[in-house]
Amino acid sequence: MKIKQLDNDTIEKIAAGEIIESPVSVVKELVENSIDANSEKIIVEIKNGGKSYIRVTDDGDGIDKDEIDLAFKSHATSKIEKFDDLYKSMSLGFRGEALSSISSVSKIELITKTKYDELGIKTTIEEKIIKNKKSIATNNGTTFIIKDLFFNTPVRKKFLKSDISESNKITKIMYIFAISHPLIEFKYIKDNREIFRTYKNNSIENNIIELIDSNLEGNLIKIDYKSEEFDIYGYISSENYYRGNRTLEYLFVNGRYVFNDNFSKIIENNYKSIIPNGRFPSFFLFMNISPSMIDINIHPNKKDIKFSYEEEVLTKIDEIIFEKLNNNTDVKKIRYKNKKENEIIDFYSDYEKILNKYNIKSDYKTKNINEESISNENKIKNSYEEILPRSFLLEEEKTEYKAKKNHSLKFENYIYKTTIFKRYSIFENNEMQILILDAREADKKIRFEKYLNELNTNNINLQRLVDPIIYSMKKDEFEKIKYNLSKFKKIGFELEIFGENSIILRSVPFIFENPENEKFFYEILDNIQEDDNILLRKIYEKISYKSFKRGDFIDKNEATNQLKKLSFLENPFFGYTGKACLLLINSTELEKYFG
């Protein structure tokens, strides 16, 4: 087949198809033009999913009568003059392709008037030909009536979906416009029925609740961050509200609804372990940023977006969302924040890091405790006086001790009711709330907290071996041990050099009321010069192995005791890997599951 130049009609219809894919594309382009025209009121009416009829009316600037012909030509726009303006423009439209594309594939009736003209203009446009232009008395602003979309491209019309499906797309975009532009009054009519109406200066929060879901009332957390680089404001859902898909994830950049998969994922990651798996949060966030830092010209519909410094922006968004969730919830949000899932902290090289990452107050002075004269019990007691608020009480009689907590849950008001599946214990209070305790995760949490507490105070509880073990080592292993003797001591292994290439193991950590055997020493030796995080992971894996196992049973006394021990921790709600130890459900939330 020979190469040939396409005719203008074919070129224009192909180009129109890239911009105008369906009726919702027409609505989007026309409403964006209305917004850019400084409109205060916009009315949108559709019939048959927009296939046969779309009407968009505004009270904006209007089109100058001398520019109507130019407005429907390709690449004609009032938004930019040169290429560099693309990176400065704050308008929603800028290509100058919308009206040209719409007029290529539909029949248009236009009524428009500027404030400088006494009369407006009414005209019709069909296949880019303007005809029947005449003067008419009308209000300031513009009305577009679009009929018979794709009448001259039947193949495209064939691929449109049902009226209901196309209507739903338009309804969604109209909700998006109404939420993102609270200073504009919107009225939306579908098949002669008013779907919604908003009023000027209604708050974003009220628009979200009234337009999207009344159940969002009381479940929205406000975001309001300002910096030299960008501002971001709006709302994210609390842990009590979630959906089965991403349909209520809204991001607006400089007033434009956009999509950025990385942005969505960074927010969703902050909800892991606080909402069920397979569920998604809702967010309605608005970002104002210099146009030079974004590229919205990567797809004809301008929905996709790229940030020039995306990693920095995402990192800051992550911090903002995490902080807000932490500050606005108790049970489901008080958790460790790791840069990576299951990240292990580096606690050997910098004790300040462990204090900060585990929310421990670091303004204390550690006492010098004489191991020969003070028993372990007294050492522990004295240590608690110094490391407030991070305390783990080892004896039941010390339960009068009250740690300073970041949470406000009153554990003492919860009464044990029952245990189900041998593992989950249910507690109830007088405020129509139930607390569900996971014995497995709680046990791992308590044991690991105990070890960390001992580690923080240089007070690892040791089990002295009745028969010390002598190891004859290879030269490289022996040198590794010599180099890391202080680290072994910190984590609870008492070693001595014995001869040229031998060591004596005298004590091991007494982590779980049972002494660790000598095999654990080899696991530590294998990882002692690796990242300290890996070392801590080994210890945590051993804790998990020793903790509550499948088939174990937790009774009333054990459940009550676990809850009591958790209550003294600053973060009793989530375990080391982010899994929940406790879940709080109120009667209102429970009722939702019963429809």
Side-chain angles (χ1 to χ4, degrees), residues 7-137:
D7 60 76
N8 287 336
D9 180 63
T10 302
I11 292 172
E12 288 173 354
K13 287 177 180 176
I14 291 173
E18 292 178 350
I19 305 298
I20 307 303
E21 301 170 334
S22 63
V24 70
S25 303
V26 176
V27 173
K28 177 180 181 293
E29 296 290 346
L30 294 180
V31 173
E32 285 182 347
N33 280 350
S34 294
I35 293 171
D36 286 341
N38 302 308
S39 302
E40 295 184 356
K41 295 181 181 179
I42 300 176
I43 301 172
V44 175
E45 181 179 2
I46 66 168
K47 295 177 182 177
N48 306 114
K51 299 174 186 176
S52 62
Y53 184 87
I54 296 172
R55 183 175 186 265
V56 177
T57 300
D58 67 53
D59 62 350
D61 297 336
I63 303 173
D64 189 283
K65 60 185 177 182
D66 296 329
E67 295 181 346
I68 290 176
D69 289 15
L70 182 60
F72 288 90
K73 293 186 180 298
S74 297
H75 309 298
T77 178
S78 61
K79 314 298 172 58
I80 63 172
E81 293 183 3
K82 56 185 183 298
F83 180 79
D84 288 349
D85 292 343
L86 284 173
Y87 300 97
K88 303 175 185 176
S89 175
M90 294 290 286
S91 62
L92 299 182
F94 51 79
R95 288 196 186 91
E97 286 293 283
L99 298 184
S100 174
S101 296
I102 295 170
S103 66
S104 294
V105 292
S106 68
K107 301 171 183 177
I108 299 178
E109 182 179 309
L110 168 67
I111 301 172
T112 188
K113 175 182 176 297
T114 70
K115 64 181 180 181
Y116 305 107
D117 297 319
E118 292 184 5
L119 294 174
I121 296 294
K122 180 178 181 180
T123 187
T124 56
I125 304 97
E126 187 172 321
E127 293 191 286
K128 300 192 73 171
I129 300 174
I130 298 176
K131 47 191 175 182
N132 301 326
K133 189 186 295 184
K134 62 181 180 180
S135 298
I136 185 175

Side-chain angles (χ1 to χ4, degrees), residues 125 386 417 545 577:
I125 304 97
E386 299 298 325
K417 306 302 292 185
Y545 177 77
T577 58

Side-chain angles (χ1 to χ4, degrees), residues 331 402 405 407-416 427-429 435 437 560 562-573 581-582:
V331 174
K402 298 297 180 183
K405 309 180 187 69
H407 61 85
S408 59
L409 203 63
K410 296 181 179 179
F411 288 88
E412 63 271 16
N413 293 341
Y414 285 84
I415 306 300
Y416 175 87
F427 298 79
E428 182 183 20
N429 67 5
L435 197 63
L437 179 145
T560 303
Q562 273 197 353
L563 186 64
K564 189 182 297 182
K565 289 180 178 179
L566 286 174
S567 73
F568 290 107
L569 303 181
E570 205 168 315
N571 180 353
F573 306 110
C581 301
L582 296 168

Side-chain angles (χ1 to χ4, degrees), residues 517-565:
N517 60 38
E518 64 273 15
K519 292 181 181 179
F520 187 42
F521 171 75
Y522 281 112
E523 295 182 40
I524 296 299
L525 176 62
D526 290 339
N527 295 281
I528 197 69
Q529 284 186 316
E530 299 292 336
D531 188 331
D532 291 332
N533 296 331
I534 298 175
L535 197 56
L536 184 55
R537 182 177 291 116
K538 282 294 180 184
I539 295 173
Y540 181 74
E541 288 173 358
K542 187 64 66 172
I543 289 174
S544 300
Y545 177 77
K546 289 274 188 174
S547 299
F548 190 99
K549 296 181 178 63
R550 189 179 301 276
D552 290 351
F553 177 78
I554 184 169
D555 59 20
K556 177 181 179 179
N557 291 336
E558 291 172 330
T560 303
N561 190 37
Q562 273 197 353
L563 186 64
K564 189 182 297 182
K565 289 180 178 179

Side-chain angles (χ1 to χ4, degrees), residues 457-515:
T457 57
N458 289 318
N459 186 35
I460 297 292
N461 197 3
L462 303 181
Q463 171 69 27
R464 201 162 187 87
L465 300 179
V466 176
D467 297 312
I469 303 171
I470 299 176
Y471 293 97
S472 295
M473 320 295 295
K474 293 188 299 182
K475 182 68 175 178
D476 58 338
E477 290 180 336
F478 181 75
E479 292 299 323
K480 183 192 291 188
I481 290 174
K482 281 180 61 179
Y483 183 79
N484 290 283
L485 277 176
S486 60
K487 186 177 289 188
F488 275 109
K489 184 176 181 180
K490 283 182 181 178
I491 61 174
F493 287 89
E494 186 180 4
L495 300 172
E496 288 180 12
I497 301 298
F498 182 72
E500 233 180 355
N501 292 309
S502 300
I503 57 106
I504 297 177
L505 176 62
R506 296 194 180 278
S507 301
V508 294
F510 190 72
I511 301 178
F512 315 116
E513 289 77 47
N514 294 309

Side-chain angles (χ1 to χ4, degrees), residues 236 245-252 257-272 275 279-283 285 287 303 305 307 310 314 317-318 321:
I236 58 175
N245 52 42
R246 294 184 172 91
T247 54
L248 294 189
E249 295 185 355
Y250 293 89
L251 170 64
F252 304 92
Y257 171 69
V258 299
F259 175 79
N260 182 282
D261 190 52
N262 292 333
F263 192 102
S264 293
K265 287 179 179 177
I266 207 76
I267 294 179
E268 290 169 5
N269 283 342
N270 278 282
Y271 284 83
K272 283 186 177 179
I275 63 177
R279 297 297 184 264
F280 300 87
S282 299
F283 58 81
L285 294 175
M287 180 184 294
K303 183 180 176 183
I305 187 171
F307 295 92
E310 185 158 299
L314 292 176
I317 296 299
D318 189 29
I321 299 301

